[in-house]
Amino acid sequence: MNNESTALRCPAVSPSSPDVAGLAVVQGQWRLRVEQHCDLILDITGVDPTADLDLQKLATVTARLEGYVGTERQRTEQSSQPTQQARSPESETTTLRSRLANLLALVFPDWFDATTTSENTSHREYEIKKQYDIDRVYQLSRFFRAMVRANKTDTSVGTTDEQKTKLTYTTS
């Protein structure tokens, strides 16, 4: 990552700007200082927001942020609803095996690698991501969605790659 202060910018696409720390509205543009959001964006999307972002990377960031918001909202809705589904014998056996494997990995760490169980891996990935506020991620996705729209418009107008980069990425 760069040590410089990185500001991403795009034309303001609506009267209400995303409510996220580090965002300013200057002369009809949204400008976002991404340093305080780097870990979040990198964890969720796998893309370094301080690097040069082409249209493909912007679309990837946007889609993954929106996907995270959708997944978390769905998870929240599911956890608030009472579960009345009957468990099948197969799912109980799988759960029992998984719990036994996790227990053995804790008791005998030299014999078993706890990260090999898919449940542990997905749980660990979820633990990393769950610390992020859904609203914060949603507001960041609004900003990146606007950047994608601006870059698509620039591409259709026929600006050069160098001009597109100047529209979206500045350092100070």
Side-chain angles (χ1 to χ4, degrees), residues 87-108 112-114 116-121 123:
R87 288 189 175 187
S88 68
E90 293 85 18
S91 67
E92 287 181 10
T93 303
T94 303
T95 303
L96 182 59
R97 271 192 225 138
S98 174
R99 287 183 183 166
L100 181 60
N102 290 336
L103 180 61
L104 288 171
L106 288 172
V107 175
F108 304 105
F112 297 95
D113 182 11
T116 59
T117 63
S118 61
E119 184 176 292
N120 264 348
T121 304
H123 180 69

Side-chain angles (χ1 to χ4, degrees), residues 40-135:
L40 177 150
I41 294 168
L42 197 54
D43 284 349
I44 293 174
T45 69
V47 177
D48 180 0
T50 61
D52 290 328
L53 299 173
D54 60 12
L55 183 58
Q56 181 62 43
K57 287 181 183 175
L58 289 173
T60 299
V61 169
T62 304
R64 290 180 181 169
L65 290 174
E66 290 172 350
Y68 176 83
V69 170
T71 300
E72 290 303 307
R73 284 184 177 162
Q74 183 179 23
R75 186 171 294 158
T76 302
E77 288 172 6
Q78 286 176 351
S79 67
S80 66
Q81 295 175 355
T83 56
Q84 296 180 359
Q85 297 175 345
R87 288 189 175 187
S88 68
E90 293 85 18
S91 67
E92 287 181 10
T93 303
T94 303
T95 303
L96 182 59
R97 271 192 225 138
S98 174
R99 287 183 183 166
L100 181 60
N102 290 336
L103 180 61
L104 288 171
L106 288 172
V107 175
F108 304 105
D110 295 335
W111 294 355
F112 297 95
D113 182 11
T115 61
T116 59
T117 63
S118 61
E119 184 176 292
N120 264 348
T121 304
S122 63
H123 180 69
R124 193 166 290 119
E125 289 171 1
Y126 174 70
E127 288 296 319
I128 289 170
K129 293 179 182 177
K130 81 172 191 174
Q131 65 191 3
Y132 300 118
D133 178 42
I134 297 172
D135 189 55

Side-chain angles (χ1 to χ4, degrees), residues 150-170:
N151 278 308
K152 281 183 179 178
T153 302
D154 293 340
T155 303
S156 65
V157 172
T159 56
T160 66
D161 288 339
E162 183 178 320
Q163 290 169 328
K164 282 190 284 188
T165 302
K166 287 181 183 175
L167 288 172
T168 60
Y169 180 81
T170 58

